Amino acid sequence: MNAKPPVENHLSSSDSRPFAHVETWVFDLDNTLYPHTSRVWPQVDERITLYVANLFGIDGLSAKALQKYFYHKHGTTLRALIEEHDVDPTDFLDFAHDIDHTDIELNHSLGEAIEKLPGRKLILTNGSRKHAENVARKIGILDHFEDVFDIAASNFVPKPDRRAYEVFLDKHGVEPARAAMFEDIAKNLTVPHELGMTTTLIVPKTFDPFRESFEQEAVRTPEIDYITNDLADFLRAYALPVK
């Protein structure tokens, strides 16, 4: 697949797992519950680059290159900074998530769809709880979620590491075979699918220039049951109970 989103709003594989049995709905936050036009992630990414630049006393271009090296090697820049440079994770997260929420729009359609899902709803993010709550509150969906499982709750082990999912499932008593996972990065759905979860990949409606191409590809693999570029519409069409 190329980096462009699919022409169709929703795609599914011939052997996609259904949603009828799902009791727990698990959502990633960034670029999953809001579109890239909300300008959340570009700000976070810029703040991470600035943090790296300040920490090592280097220029912005060098900091960006180092940041991306850390990301590809460790899964998140934070994990690299903790393991290799003993950085205080709370300090890093507070700095990275100090952003402007002006462009995040209230999404009544998504809120109504999530509210109507039968069962529990949880956010599973590599970001901080504070960041997730601030963004979800601005979207108008925070009250529909039982809890937020953030990077601190996983002892700063990020997705797609299997340990992050296992700690999440254990903490919240989630049976993966009766759960669904919604994510914007394909590799983060591999372990959930292996554990038995129904998986949906969220891709942008238009190409996002602030993210790497591989992070927004409509990847069609056995580990991905569904692909959509419109989460609210997808939930209404595929996940809500038929009346």
Side-chain angles (χ1 to χ4, degrees):
M1 300 291 291
N2 58 31
K4 296 180 181 179
V7 174
E8 302 88 346
N9 284 339
H10 317 304
L11 297 174
S12 62
S13 63
S14 58
D15 57 349
S16 296
R17 295 169 177 172
F19 290 100
H21 67 294
V22 172
E23 297 176 343
T24 305
W25 307 84
V26 184
F27 295 85
D28 172 53
L29 175 77
D30 288 312
N31 297 306
T32 295
L33 291 174
Y34 60 80
H36 68 82
T37 51
S38 298
R39 292 192 66 255
V40 172
W41 183 249
Q43 293 185 76
V44 174
D45 192 51
E46 185 177 290
R47 296 287 293 174
I48 293 174
T49 303
L50 181 57
Y51 188 96
V52 172
N54 292 340
L55 180 65
F56 295 102
I58 56 180
D59 62 79
L61 287 176
S62 299
K64 176 64 72 175
L66 183 57
Q67 172 191 350
K68 295 309 175 185
Y69 168 76
F70 285 154
Y71 171 70
H72 288 293
K73 182 180 179 181
H74 291 269
T76 64
T77 303
L78 174 58
R79 188 67 185 174
L81 294 177
I82 292 173
E83 293 187 351
E84 297 185 11
H85 301 282
D86 199 29
V87 161
D88 179 354
T90 301
D91 177 66
F92 172 91
L93 291 168
D94 286 345
F95 186 91
H97 294 143
D98 184 14
I99 63 170
D100 181 3
H101 298 90
T102 300
D103 290 333
I104 303 175
E105 296 182 350
L106 194 65
N107 192 334
H108 293 291
S109 180
L110 180 60
E112 290 175 358
I114 292 175
E115 182 179 22
K116 292 178 181 177
L117 292 173
R120 306 166 66 195
K121 300 107 181 186
L122 297 159
I123 292 175
L124 170 54
T125 176
N126 278 347
S128 69
R129 171 184 289 273
K130 181 180 179 181
H131 172 62
E133 290 178 344
N134 286 340
V135 172
R137 184 179 296 109
K138 189 72 188 296
I139 299 169
I141 60 176
L142 179 59
D143 291 344
H144 302 315
F145 288 96
E146 175 184 319
D147 200 3
V148 173
F149 183 91
D150 70 349
I151 191 68
S154 67
N155 195 30
F156 302 101
V157 175
K159 298 176 291 181
D161 192 304
R162 177 178 289 266
R163 291 172 295 172
Y165 302 97
E166 291 176 341
V167 172
F168 164 76
L169 295 171
D170 181 66
K171 174 179 173 62
H172 289 286
V174 174
E175 170 52 54
R178 302 187 68 81
M181 181 77 195
F182 299 82
E183 253 281 356
D184 69 297
I185 298 178
K187 67 179 181 179
N188 289 354
L189 290 172
T190 298
V191 171
H193 192 273
E194 291 175 350
L195 293 170
M197 301 174 78
T198 300
T199 56
T200 302
L201 178 67
I202 313 299
V203 296
K205 287 187 175 182
T206 58
F207 188 75
D208 182 355
F210 294 101
R211 297 170 64 203
E212 296 187 44
S213 296
F214 81 90
E215 294 178 314
Q216 46 190 317
E217 292 178 356
V219 182
R220 304 177 82 168
T221 71
E223 292 78 29
I224 296 173
D225 294 305
Y226 302 91
I227 302 173
T228 183
N229 62 17
D230 189 328
L231 179 57
D233 187 64
F234 177 84
L235 293 176
R236 288 191 297 269
Y238 286 82
L240 295 183
V242 178
K243 295 184 178 179

